[in-house]
């Protein structure tokens, strides 16, 4: 195509789309090029018109961001992106594994060191040692089901550590513990075999309730990390539009959230079945409470393509400073009910209560419990 | 001099990319939301299946994240890089899936908020016919006209993505549109 004909084609498309010209108008206007122009113009118009109607479904849009987050955590990250760990920064994986083996040998020789490391949390000198020991155990897990069990156990330890850090008000290290938790769960979800799904689902359901418990007492800056971890542990496997929604695993966590925000469990269930993870649902309701904007509007903004970061920023500008901004007392945590939700305990689910970590002070003056209810 | 809205978007993208390059997954998530629709649309027209398009779209961004350290801010635009990844994935997919399944016809392929069910169905059938006609073009021809008329890219942007000159992009476009119109006509005639 010569440049002149290309320019004419673009001009015709523009006039047809923006000035109401017909194809015939254009061909008449460029009568000399009519024979060559007509097939090009008609084909280009078919493409232009078709593009308007093709876009990802809302269900995919809602689910894919959470799925991608999980994959990003599990994926090999770019060298620039890899956080440098103080004790092992710059070491290659095989060297880390070798160190892990050495550590195991040392730990066997001196059980006290391994014991001490096992109780370490992010920020402790022995935490890196604890992680190295775990990595070494994972490398030597022969069966995939054993690796899944190990990851679930280590993930549970991360939650224990996060709970202790929340109690100590150490938001930065809470975030690190939860990032490590999320990476372990991403590995669980990738490696879990169908035969292990009930046991894995039960363990994840249990961990979700503990995460909701943490959410209630965590410092505000740590809450997005908790919500992220909740999303990763609650994301439906291979969720697709039209597939039946199985909420068995997340029922206790949704019940706890429903109680926390004083909204019907069924509302949260509907959001989950629309493809939102528990963490995302929690985030939307939290933003609604913080800003006074109806929760439907918060979800609508996300469905319109706004990122959660952008929504949060806009709503905070609109609604003033968040009620529980750093420096202000956060709302009183309302522990989730230990009993099953209204629709009954799901088979295979545990009744384990969430962690009861000491929470922040009571409601700030002038802030009633009702204010915590998102507007419908 | 005031910044144009276009410049603001570019600067915003630059900032997000810088953060993503430093390992900020939230910034990468914002880039994902920004480019989800165009990448999905490009892939959908190439594969003709909603499920495959969804899987491949996610794969594009997962691969982009993994390879982000190889992306240079001063090199090609981020979108061009994404389209290259998408193209490579589609070519791999098509190689594995021979013969390609028939393009889907049905309401779920169409964003039908503003259409009646009948209109949406008709539109969906038209899209399926278009995708079937596109398959009569080779990979490069499909790539060029989709980037030009569905993704609205300029010849210089297309040229950067396909690794050829602007002149070559024009020649491919001419050949591809002619072939596409011929394929659409023959389908129309056989239908009548």
């Amino acid at each position: 195509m010569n440049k002149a004909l290309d320019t004419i084609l673009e001009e015709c498309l523009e006039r047809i789309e923006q000035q109401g010209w017909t194809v015939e108008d254009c061909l008449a206007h460029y009568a000399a090029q009519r024979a060559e122009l007509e097939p090009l113009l008609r084909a280009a118009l078919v493409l232009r018109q078709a593009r308007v109607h093709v876009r990802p479904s809302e269900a995919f849009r809602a689910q894919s961001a959470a799925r991608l987050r999980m994959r990003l955590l599990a994926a090999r990250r770019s060298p620039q992106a890899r956080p440098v760990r103080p004790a092992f920064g710059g070491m290659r994986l095989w060297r880390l594994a070798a160190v892990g083996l050495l550590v195991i040998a040392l730990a066997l020789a001196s059980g006290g060191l391994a014991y001490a490391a096992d109780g370490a949390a992010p920020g402790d000198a022995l935490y890196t040692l604890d992680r190295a020991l775990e990595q070494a155990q994972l490398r030597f897990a022969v069966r995939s089901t054993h690796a899944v069990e190990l990851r679930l156990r280590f993930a549970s330890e991360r939650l224990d550590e996060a709970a202790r850090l929340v109690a100590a008000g150490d938001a930065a290290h809470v975030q690190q513990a939860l990032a490590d938790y999320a990476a372990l769960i991403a590995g669980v979800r990738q490696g879990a075999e169908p035969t292990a799904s009930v046991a894995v689902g039960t363990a994840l359901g249990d961990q979700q309730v503990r995460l909701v418990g943490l959410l209630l007492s965590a410092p505000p800056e740590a809450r997005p990390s908790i919500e992220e971890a909740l999303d990763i542990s609650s994301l439906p496997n291979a969720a697709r539009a039209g597939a039946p929604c199985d909420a068995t695993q997340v029922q206790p966590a949704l019940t706890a959230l429903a109680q926390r925000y004083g909204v019907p469990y069924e509302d949260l269930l509907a959001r989950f079945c629309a493809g939102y993870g528990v963490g995302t649902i929690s985030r939307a309701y939290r933003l609604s409470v913080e800003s006074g904007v109806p929760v439907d509007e918060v979800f609508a903004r996300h469905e319109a393509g706004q990122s959660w970061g952008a929504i949060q920023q806009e709503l905070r500008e609109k609604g003033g400073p968040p009620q529980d901004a750093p420096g202000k007392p956060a709302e009183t945590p309302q522990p989730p009910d230990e009993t099953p939700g209204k629709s009954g305990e799901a088979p295979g689910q545990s009744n384990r209560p969430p962690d009861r970590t000491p929470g922040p002070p009571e409601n700030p003056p002038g802030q009633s419990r009702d204010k915590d209810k998102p507007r419908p | 001099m005031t910044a144009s809205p276009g410049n603001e978007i570019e600067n915003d993208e630059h900032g997000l990319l810088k953060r993503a390059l430093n390992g900020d997954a939230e910034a990468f998530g914002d880039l994902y939301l920004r480019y989800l629709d165009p990448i999905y649309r490009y892939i959908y027209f190439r594969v003709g299946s909603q499920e495959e398009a969804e899987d491949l779209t996610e794969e594009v961004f997962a691969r982009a994240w993994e390879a982000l350290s190889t992306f240079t801010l001063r090199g090609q635009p981020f979108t061009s890089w994404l389209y290259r990844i998408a193209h490579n994935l589609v070519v791999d997919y098509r190689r594995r899936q021979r013969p390609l399944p028939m393009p889907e016809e049905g309401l779920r392929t169409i964003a039908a908020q503003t259409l009646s069910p009948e209109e949406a169905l008709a539109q969906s059938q038209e899209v399926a016919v278009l995708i079937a006609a596109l398959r009569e073009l080779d990979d490069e021809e499909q790539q060029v006209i989709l980037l030009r008329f569905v993704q609205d890219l300029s010849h210089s942007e297309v040229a950067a993505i396909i690794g050829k000159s602007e002149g070559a992009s024009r020649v491919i476009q001419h050949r591809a549109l002619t072939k596409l119109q011929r394929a659409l006509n023959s389908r129309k005639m056989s239908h009548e």
Side-chain angles (χ1 to χ4, degrees), chain A residues 6 10 64 67 77 240 307, chain B residues 23 30 32 54-55 148:
Chain A
D6 192 37
E10 283 187 17
S64 65
R67 262 202 307 267
R77 301 182 64 169
R240 290 220 172 271
S307 71
Chain B
D30 283 353
Y32 171 72
E54 289 177 352
D55 288 348
R148 285 280 293 135

Side-chain angles (χ1 to χ4, degrees), chain A residues 13-26:
Chain A
L13 288 171
E14 193 179 321
R15 290 189 173 183
I16 288 169
E17 288 173 345
Q18 292 174 16
Q19 296 172 23
W21 281 33
T22 63
V23 173
E24 228 11 84
D25 291 340
C26 217

Side-chain angles (χ1 to χ4, degrees), chain A residues 1 6 9, chain B residues 148 155 169-177:
Chain A
M1 181 183 287
D6 192 37
L9 175 64
Chain B
R148 285 280 293 135
H155 276 298
S169 171
R170 283 196 177 83
V171 170
I172 297 165
Q173 174 184 297
H174 186 278
R175 190 172 64 228
L177 286 176

Side-chain angles (χ1 to χ4, degrees), chain A residues 318-355:
Chain A
K318 188 174 174 178
Q323 292 168 11
D324 53 1
K328 283 187 177 185
E331 66 258 45
T332 309
Q334 188 180 331
D337 197 345
E338 291 172 26
T339 55
K342 292 169 191 168
S343 40
E345 180 82 5
Q349 281 186 322
S350 121
N351 266 341
R352 179 175 172 164
D355 281 313

Side-chain angles (χ1 to χ4, degrees), chain A residues 39-316:
Chain A
L40 308 179
L41 182 57
R42 290 195 187 279
L45 273 174
V46 171
L47 287 164
R48 295 284 266 225
Q49 284 158 4
R51 72 176 175 167
V52 178
H53 298 291
V54 173
R55 61 168 184 252
S57 69
E58 288 306 326
F60 172 67
R61 194 189 292 280
Q63 291 162 7
S64 65
R67 262 202 307 267
L68 185 74
R69 268 205 304 275
M70 191 168 79
R71 290 193 61 180
L72 297 192
L73 279 165
R76 183 177 58 79
R77 301 182 64 169
S78 63
Q80 287 148 291
R82 189 179 291 280
V84 177
R85 292 188 183 279
F88 292 108
M91 275 194 180
R92 288 179 182 280
L93 202 59
W94 67 267
R95 291 185 66 188
L96 192 63
V99 171
L101 283 172
L102 185 62
V103 162
I104 287 172
L106 284 172
L108 288 172
S110 56
L113 182 64
Y115 180 79
D118 196 35
D124 292 344
L126 289 177
Y127 181 67
T128 313
L129 180 60
D130 184 23
R131 295 295 316 281
L133 280 166
E134 290 175 0
Q135 287 301 319
Q137 287 183 64
L138 283 170
R139 283 184 85 83
F140 284 97
V142 179
R143 286 175 295 114
S144 63
T145 48
H146 185 219
V148 168
E149 283 164 20
L150 281 175
R151 284 197 174 89
L152 282 169
R153 179 151 65 79
F154 299 151
S156 182
E157 285 179 21
R158 293 296 91 77
L159 293 186
D160 292 341
E161 291 153 13
R164 289 206 300 277
L165 292 161
V166 163
D170 186 351
H173 287 113
V174 171
Q175 290 172 40
Q176 190 185 336
L178 290 167
D180 291 342
Y181 167 84
L184 284 162
I185 296 302
V188 168
R189 299 194 73 101
Q190 286 202 331
E193 292 169 355
T195 49
S197 58
V198 172
V200 171
T202 304
L204 289 176
D206 183 32
Q207 291 179 2
Q208 287 155 25
V209 176
R210 295 171 67 193
L211 282 165
V212 172
L214 276 182
L215 199 53
L216 304 179
S217 49
E221 57 270 38
R223 291 180 190 173
S225 312
I226 300 173
E227 286 159 353
E228 193 110 325
L230 259 172
D231 262 352
I232 285 164
S233 71
S234 67
L235 191 70
N237 270 327
R240 290 220 172 271
C245 172
D246 178 8
T248 312
Q249 186 199 106
V250 296
Q251 190 251 1
L254 288 182
T255 303
L257 273 184
Q259 194 178 15
R260 158 75 179 88
Y261 287 111
V263 295
Y265 167 80
E266 289 72 20
D267 287 4
L268 306 188
L269 180 64
R271 299 286 182 194
F272 177 77
C273 289
Y276 289 105
V278 176
T280 302
I281 296 169
S282 168
R283 182 181 290 198
Y285 276 83
R286 176 171 60 81
L287 291 176
S288 170
V289 167
E290 288 176 358
S291 64
V293 168
V295 74
D296 284 346
E297 187 185 323
V298 178
F299 279 111
R301 284 169 182 243
H302 183 61
E303 281 159 16
Q306 250 187 312
S307 71
W308 287 108
I311 295 171
Q312 178 158 319
Q313 195 172 354
E314 267 189 33
L315 292 185
R316 283 189 168 164

